[in-house]
Amino acid sequence: LELTELTAISPLDGRYANKVKFLRTIFSEYALIRYRVIVEVQWLLKLSQIPELKEVPPFTDNARSFLLGVLADFNVNDGAAVKNFERVTNHDVKAIEYFLKGRIKDHPELSKVLEFIHFGCTSEDINNLAYALMLLNGREHLLKKMDEVISAIRSLAHKHANVPMLSRTHGQASPASPSTIGKEMANFCYRMELQRNQVASVSIKGKMAGAVGNYNAHCFTYPEIKWEAVAESFVTSLGVDFNPYTTQIEPHDCIAELFDAVRRFGNILEDFDRDMWAYISLGYFKQASYWLFRFVPGEVGSSTMPHKVNPIDFENSEGNLGLAKSWLSHLGSKLQVSRMQRDLTDSTVLRQIGQVLALCVLSYDSTLRGINKLEVDEAATRRDLDATWEVLAEPIQMMMRRYGIEKPYEKLKEFTRGAAVTKESMREFIETLDLPEAAKERLRLLTPHTYCGKAAELASNV
């Protein structure tokens, strides 16, 4: 079968292609080739700036412009040309070298330095920096999506800061102390933002130190050059942080750190998805706005039940987050392990970076779609609160403790457990207590709707 969105093995290139195809410019095979070309060209330019390296004199403006033009004009056809070289070399990085030599061999100045393309480099000098550039670029898109999710949840927190709701600790039908819709959203917003900032702060590192990380070939050929300083200057010029201690490979510890932070963000988002699913099932949220204001002609919610509007976006997000988390965990643990100075197990694993981060983006977008369909059903939250006056057992007990009434917990337990507690019975119980009149009055005025502590303030401040 010809490869199309219909025949693709991965749903990321099939069913979900339109949702993640913008990532192809960052994570595809073409993109990886392009990043490698960038590193090779910039390394040649760097060599021309080393005074002691007489064989590569400073380039004229014309030569520099020509090389930078190779980068600026690099396109899919050039990527295909590199793949043609690879069919002969059976080596993807060597193919880059041959491609570049072919592009500059007719330039009168650059033709004299053909053999300094890839000078002193092992393939992993090129690869690790190519992947570093890929991750730097990809992280920006990931952070943008994370920010969109956090912003949407923050909006829920602010909009519904004052809407009281029952808490459901342990998932029990018997309620816990009330909160507000906004405060529950604020919890997730705060947690996600912490992990988002962890993702942003990870130092992406790179190396340019030769076959086993010791600058062997560099120092033997040009012992007068301070190669470690050259390497550090080059790596940082690409926007990558320098790692001075490596083997043949940059050890990928930074990728493991990055992916662990992304995984933690995904864990929290999965927690959010599940809670939203539960709140929808309780009736605290409804998705009616989707049908009322964003109806898509011909769209159905169930194949047999025409009335159904399922929380499919949160479910889709949860499912893809599960896949992403397992991949992130594997990549994070695998990439830190390499036999001796290197083995090739990291090579095939690194090629999956695009797939795992695409799953993350797909999940974030699904959650955003789910949020955009939501409306709070305040009538439902009010009904639950009106029916659960027993939640006031906690503040009454605390007031009893304050004023020295013995065994307050036990008395409230006897009063509330197994009994139908109503507004009237709760008021009657309050009147039996030996409390100051001011304290009793505060308890009389208290309702499940107003017993929310600082929830509204916390939600508004997130």
Side-chain angles (χ1 to χ4, degrees):
L1 291 174
E2 180 184 354
L3 178 62
T4 67
E5 291 184 4
L6 186 63
T7 61
I9 293 175
S10 169
L12 294 171
D13 290 317
R15 181 179 182 85
Y16 304 128
N18 284 333
K19 297 175 181 177
V20 297
K21 64 183 180 181
F22 71 96
L23 295 172
R24 292 173 184 169
T25 60
I26 306 169
F27 296 117
S28 63
E29 179 78 359
Y30 158 74
L32 177 58
I33 291 171
R34 179 174 163 272
Y35 289 127
R36 285 167 170 160
V37 170
I38 290 172
V39 176
E40 291 278 17
V41 168
Q42 293 293 350
W43 180 239
L44 184 59
L45 287 167
K46 181 65 178 179
L47 294 178
S48 74
Q49 298 165 8
I50 303 174
E52 299 90 341
L53 213 166
K54 306 297 184 184
E55 288 74 15
V56 187
F59 292 146
T60 63
D61 289 344
N62 179 270
R64 285 182 60 82
S65 296
F66 187 90
L67 283 171
L68 294 175
V70 171
L71 300 184
D73 298 337
F74 193 85
N75 55 40
V76 174
N77 290 331
D78 292 324
V82 172
K83 295 299 289 185
N84 287 335
F85 280 111
E86 186 182 343
R87 291 187 183 94
V88 177
T89 63
N90 197 29
H91 195 289
D92 46 8
V93 177
K94 198 67 177 176
I96 302 289
E97 179 184 343
Y98 288 160
F99 165 79
L100 286 173
K101 285 180 176 179
R103 287 298 303 270
I104 71 173
K105 65 181 177 60
D106 294 327
H107 189 281
E109 183 179 348
L110 297 174
S111 62
K112 298 174 183 177
V113 296
L114 286 182
E115 296 308 324
F116 282 87
I117 294 175
H118 201 68
F119 175 80
C121 299
T122 183
S123 298
E124 276 306 297
D125 286 329
I126 308 304
N127 279 333
N128 89 96
L129 292 172
Y131 278 113
L133 293 174
M134 178 186 289
L135 285 170
L136 287 171
N137 195 352
R139 178 168 63 178
E140 290 305 309
H141 287 270
L142 202 66
L143 289 170
K144 180 181 178 182
K145 288 294 181 182
M146 288 178 171
D147 288 340
E148 289 177 14
V149 172
I150 293 168
S151 177
I153 298 173
R154 180 177 281 111
S155 293
L156 288 177
H158 291 169
K159 182 178 181 181
H160 306 298
N162 293 288
V163 179
M165 57 165 269
L166 281 179
S167 299
R168 299 276 181 168
T169 56
H170 305 282
Q172 295 295 302
S174 55
S177 299
S179 181
T180 70
I181 294 284
K183 170 54 170 49
E184 297 313 295
M185 300 302 103
N187 294 339
F188 289 109
C189 178
Y190 180 78
R191 294 170 65 197
M192 288 182 190
E193 194 156 51
L194 288 177
Q195 297 309 317
R196 179 263 181 219
N197 291 339
Q198 288 289 312
V199 171
S201 68
V202 172
S203 169
I204 304 300
K205 298 186 184 303
K207 56 91 69 172
M208 196 70 175
V212 292
N214 301 330
Y215 309 94
N216 301 39
H218 310 67
C219 292
F220 182 79
T221 311
Y222 291 96
E224 66 275 21
I225 295 175
K226 295 179 179 179
W227 284 107
E228 187 174 7
V230 169
E232 181 174 7
S233 174
F234 174 66
V235 169
T236 56
S237 74
L238 298 175
V240 179
D241 293 333
F242 180 63
N243 187 345
Y245 288 95
T246 70
T247 58
Q248 185 173 108
I249 65 171
E250 199 287 325
H252 309 315
D253 296 334
C254 62
I255 301 179
E257 184 181 355
L258 175 66
F259 283 2
D260 194 54
V262 174
R263 181 185 59 78
R264 293 194 303 269
F265 182 93
N267 267 341
I268 298 168
L269 186 59
E270 182 179 350
D271 194 18
F272 174 82
D273 288 336
R274 290 182 178 187
D275 275 13
M276 297 310 292
W277 187 97
Y279 290 138
I280 290 169
S281 71
L282 288 170
Y284 291 179
F285 287 96
K286 58 185 179 181
Q287 300 173 98
S289 63
Y290 177 67
W291 300 100
L292 292 174
F293 305 121
R294 302 199 249 314
F295 177 71
V296 178
E299 187 171 289
V300 299
S302 166
S303 62
T304 60
M305 296 172 282
H307 61 285
K308 290 275 281 180
V309 184
N310 298 320
I312 56 174
D313 297 298
F314 297 112
E315 293 170 338
N316 182 282
S317 176
E318 181 183 342
N320 282 312
L321 281 170
L323 288 172
K325 289 193 305 173
S326 65
W327 282 60
L328 288 164
S329 294
H330 176 69
L331 267 67
S333 61
K334 166 67 210 87
L335 289 174
Q336 288 187 286
V337 179
S338 183
R339 296 172 182 88
M340 303 299 183
Q341 284 68 49
R342 89 147 308 177
D343 62 41
L344 273 173
T345 54
D346 67 327
S347 178
T348 188
V349 172
L350 282 166
R351 290 181 178 273
Q352 305 301 328
I353 285 176
Q355 180 149 305
V356 68
L357 295 184
L359 284 169
C360 292
V361 168
L362 189 64
S363 302
Y364 305 163
D365 278 343
S366 293
T367 296
L368 284 167
R369 281 195 303 276
I371 290 172
N372 287 334
K373 297 176 184 179
L374 294 177
E375 288 181 345
V376 170
D377 189 345
E378 294 191 43
T381 60
R382 281 196 300 270
R383 281 194 301 270
D384 269 5
L385 290 163
D386 287 338
T388 53
W389 280 78
E390 61 266 30
V391 297
L392 299 186
E394 181 187 49
I396 295 172
Q397 178 207 159
M398 293 302 143
M399 194 68 83
M400 291 166 70
R401 289 177 185 273
R402 175 178 176 179
Y403 289 101
I405 297 177
E406 291 185 356
K407 297 184 178 180
Y409 177 88
E410 288 74 14
K411 290 177 180 178
L412 265 300
K413 177 182 175 182
E414 180 181 354
F415 171 59
T416 58
R417 282 207 182 177
V421 180
T422 65
K423 175 181 178 180
E424 290 71 24
S425 66
M426 186 63 77
R427 296 286 169 82
E428 289 173 4
F429 180 82
I430 292 169
E431 297 305 324
T432 68
L433 300 176
D434 185 17
L435 292 171
E437 182 58 29
K440 279 188 178 182
E441 183 61 19
R442 288 185 64 203
L443 291 175
R444 293 186 193 108
L445 295 174
L446 189 63
T447 74
H449 301 265
T450 59
Y451 182 55
C452 296
K454 295 176 69 70
E457 179 183 340
L458 289 166
S460 298
N461 291 341
V462 75

